[in-house]
Amino acid sequence: MFQQDILKLAFEVHRITEEKINVIETLTRRTKTLSLNARIEASRAGQQGAAFEVVAQEMSQFANEVGQLSTELRGAIASNISRIENAGEAMMLDFRGSRFADLSRNVVEIIDRNLYERSCDVRWWATDSAIVNAATRGSEDPNLLRQASARLATILRSYTVYLDLWIADRNGKIICNGRGDRYHSVIGQDVSKEEWFRKAMRTATGDDFAVCDIARNSILHNSAVATYSTAIRTNGETFGEPIGALGIFFDWEPQAQDIVKGVALTDDEKRTCRVMLLNADFQIIASSDDHGFLTDKFPLNLINSERAYYRAGDNMVSYALTPGYETYTGLGWYGCIESAVPTY
């Protein structure tokens, strides 16, 4: 990068200048030594050495002046090189911080675009006739439950980003799922107290949906999921009465890891950067180094609510708040990149 080239050039100029001034100072010391020896020999020579002593004194004076000049030159160059280095470092950090803040925004935008599609999926599938029929009369006709389960399985074969899809009746009992062969204990589970079910049943219309933060689901083999839900309504109508709930479970970890590890960084940057997604509480919900997932919080310093960067010791932290996507406003997540400050 141009900023790094400026810093490297400044350090190289400083190094060469120091090297050459050291040579001048070495020559000055040698000149002084020669001048001193010449004055001693001139003194021994008596009257015959008087003229030579004048030359020796001039050599000594010359050496002193050169020494003074080299000292002044060293100070002047060091001062200006320091200013160049500071300006170059500030320019480099500003460029790097701004670029990484933009990449942080890009990371969280990509995931929000993905999750926007999940919000569309759940609202669409909740109007599917097989799903509506299962929620309406499944308790009376087991064949309707089998048809709904088959329909969910068909959806899952096309939408491989989901671990499972569940239908709960109005009381919160799971009556259908799409992967009964993999998740054997789902049917009959009571989810009436689960956040996704309660939020779904409180949605005002079929245009609304509920979303929960990333969490592990014990029934789904403790996998980390993003859960979306909405009410299943009478006849699948937008303003129909809620008769059950549809919950869809996005397989979060592999999708999120692909995004944080796919950021457009150079090979050198990848070795010194950690790309993360943080939830609204700064909990790490994805990390390019696979550390701290759903266990650690990152000490993000919000010097600006939407986008900023700052230095933290030997590291730089850049971040950006989710801007949301279309009708999906997001959950207050942040894209974040922690990077080592380059040394030269």
Side-chain angles (χ1 to χ4, degrees):
M1 290 186 295
F2 178 66
Q3 290 83 359
Q4 292 180 347
D5 290 341
I6 291 176
L7 276 179
K8 288 178 180 178
L9 179 60
F11 282 116
E12 183 63 11
V13 169
H14 195 186
R15 184 191 66 78
I16 293 174
T17 301
E18 283 291 315
E19 184 180 286
K20 299 308 179 185
I21 290 177
N22 286 338
V23 171
I24 293 173
E25 289 179 342
T26 298
L27 293 174
T28 300
R29 286 192 295 271
R30 290 175 60 188
T31 302
K32 285 183 177 181
T33 301
L34 289 172
S35 173
L36 178 61
N37 290 336
R39 292 176 68 182
I40 291 173
E41 293 302 321
S43 177
R44 288 177 178 173
Q47 187 64 33
Q48 290 82 359
F52 192 63
E53 184 174 1
V54 174
V55 175
Q57 288 177 339
E58 288 296 324
M59 289 175 61
S60 178
Q61 182 62 31
F62 173 76
N64 288 334
E65 290 177 1
V66 171
Q68 180 64 30
L69 178 62
S70 66
T71 299
E72 293 174 358
L73 181 61
R74 184 193 297 275
I77 290 177
S79 175
N80 284 284
I81 288 293
S82 178
R83 291 171 61 189
I84 293 173
E85 290 170 358
N86 291 338
E89 182 176 8
M91 187 187 305
M92 185 274 294
L93 292 178
D94 181 65
F95 175 83
R96 187 181 180 91
S98 295
R99 174 169 169 263
F100 284 174
D102 288 341
L103 288 175
S104 297
R105 180 185 171 95
N106 183 246
V107 167
V108 78
E109 271 188 317
I110 291 173
I111 198 64
D112 272 353
R113 289 183 184 186
N114 196 315
L115 296 180
Y116 165 72
E117 295 177 8
R118 312 289 71 87
S119 72
C120 295
D121 291 344
V122 71
R123 287 175 285 181
W124 169 31
W125 296 335
T127 65
D128 185 280
S129 60
I131 293 172
V132 172
N133 289 338
T136 304
R137 301 189 308 278
S139 60
E140 305 165 6
D141 187 351
N143 189 51
L144 294 177
L145 299 182
R146 287 191 291 271
Q147 291 175 1
S149 293
R151 175 61 177 153
L152 297 179
T154 299
I155 293 172
L156 287 169
R157 284 194 292 273
S158 299
Y159 291 80
T160 57
V161 296
Y162 292 105
L163 289 177
D164 207 0
L165 311 177
W166 298 353
I167 300 173
D169 64 20
R170 67 173 71 242
N171 297 315
K173 178 183 176 181
I174 303 298
I175 57 175
C176 292
N177 75 314
R179 286 205 171 109
D181 56 336
R182 182 186 301 181
Y183 304 111
H184 310 290
S185 63
V186 173
I187 301 300
Q189 290 282 344
D190 180 3
V191 295
S192 60
K193 293 182 173 57
E194 296 290 326
E195 182 184 15
W196 69 267
F197 176 79
R198 291 186 289 105
K199 283 184 173 181
M201 296 300 286
R202 290 199 300 266
T203 53
T205 74
D207 292 331
D208 301 322
F209 67 94
V211 55
C212 301
D213 225 328
I214 308 304
R216 295 192 181 278
N217 189 304
S218 59
I219 302 175
L220 298 175
H221 301 169
N222 209 37
S223 298
V225 293
T227 305
Y228 285 73
S229 61
T230 193
I232 302 168
R233 299 178 182 275
T234 303
N235 298 323
E237 296 174 352
T238 302
F239 297 98
E241 177 190 354
I243 55 175
L246 174 66
I248 66 175
F249 302 91
F250 180 69
D251 190 8
W252 170 259
E253 196 165 358
Q255 323 304 326
Q257 286 301 105
D258 283 347
I259 290 173
V260 295
K261 291 184 177 181
V263 176
L265 300 171
T266 67
D267 289 340
D268 286 341
E269 288 172 340
K270 287 179 180 179
R271 285 190 285 270
T272 59
C273 289
R274 183 188 190 194
V275 183
M276 294 170 285
L277 283 167
L278 311 175
N279 67 16
D281 294 325
F282 307 153
Q283 184 181 46
I284 297 170
I285 54 176
S287 178
S288 60
D289 65 358
D290 300 311
H291 292 312
F293 177 61
L294 291 183
T295 58
D296 297 349
K297 287 189 176 183
F298 186 79
L300 188 64
N301 179 15
L302 288 184
I303 59 177
N304 182 290
S305 60
E306 294 187 358
R307 176 188 176 280
Y309 64 89
Y310 59 90
R311 187 160 180 170
D314 293 331
N315 292 331
M316 173 182 285
V317 177
S318 305
Y319 66 87
L321 175 67
T322 171
Y325 185 73
E326 298 287 345
T327 57
Y328 183 72
T329 57
L331 296 173
W333 291 356
Y334 292 87
C336 181
I337 298 178
E338 181 183 37
S339 59
V341 176
T343 56
Y344 300 93

